[in-house]
Amino acid sequence: MTPRTVDELLGEARRRLRRVEPRAASEAIASGAVLVDIRSESQRARDGVVPGSLFIARNELEWRADPTSDWREPHVADPDRQVIRMCNEGYQSSLAAATLKELGLERATDLVGGFQAWRAAGLPIQPRE
C-alpha cells in the first residue's frame, strides 16, 4: 500500500460526507439529528458544550456507533438517524464520520468548522457540567 498524507486522508474523507454548517446543524438537531461531541475533556472544560449534545470520547466512538456492538449507543448507532460529529475545528470529526460510514451509518457527517464555528455563529453553548 502506498502511504498517503493526512491531507489526502482528510480530503478523501470529506468527499464522502455531506458536511453541515453550524446553522444547518442546529436546524437538523431540532428535527431529530444527534450532535456527538468528540472533543477532549480539556477542550470541553475550557470552552463549554453545546446544549443537548452527546459526549463520546474519540477512542470509544466506533464501539458506541457500531450497530452490532454490545457497547453501542442506540441514538448514535441508528442507521436511519443523522448523527453529526463535532470536534474543535472540524478536522478530526471528518475522519471520524468517514470511518462510521464504513460501519454502515450512511447518514454520518460532521460539523464544518467544529465547535469553534458553532460558537462563532452565535449558537447556544453552556459551561460543561
Side-chain angles (χ1 to χ4, degrees):
M1 175 167 36
T2 303
R4 294 178 283 169
T5 67
V6 70
D7 289 333
E8 291 169 329
L9 290 175
L10 185 61
E12 181 180 307
R14 287 181 172 169
R15 283 189 291 278
R16 298 176 57 204
L17 301 173
R18 298 180 81 184
R19 303 180 76 215
V20 293
E21 297 286 338
R23 293 216 180 273
S26 179
E27 292 169 8
I29 293 163
S31 296
V34 176
L35 181 66
V36 176
D37 189 344
I38 62 171
R39 292 177 300 143
S40 69
E41 287 287 346
S42 63
Q43 289 170 324
R44 292 165 41 80
R46 179 190 69 215
D47 293 337
V49 298
V50 173
S53 64
L54 176 64
F55 171 67
I56 299 179
R58 176 61 191 96
N59 64 329
E60 297 178 4
L61 186 60
E62 287 80 1
W63 285 266
R64 299 286 184 216
D66 181 353
T68 68
S69 171
D70 290 340
W71 299 279
R72 71 187 168 276
E73 175 67 41
H75 290 91
V76 177
D78 180 353
D80 295 325
R81 183 182 298 262
Q82 182 181 28
V83 181
I84 304 165
R85 281 25 172 218
M86 178 184 70
C87 66
N88 195 49
E89 294 182 342
Y91 296 96
Q92 184 181 36
S93 59
S94 294
L95 296 170
T99 299
L100 297 185
K101 281 190 165 276
E102 294 182 31
L103 294 174
L105 302 173
E106 287 302 316
R107 297 190 69 198
T109 191
D110 78 320
L111 179 64
V112 175
F115 179 84
Q116 297 305 324
W118 180 278
R119 179 169 56 187
L123 294 166
I125 59 173
Q126 66 186 34
R128 185 187 74 173
E129 296 175 358

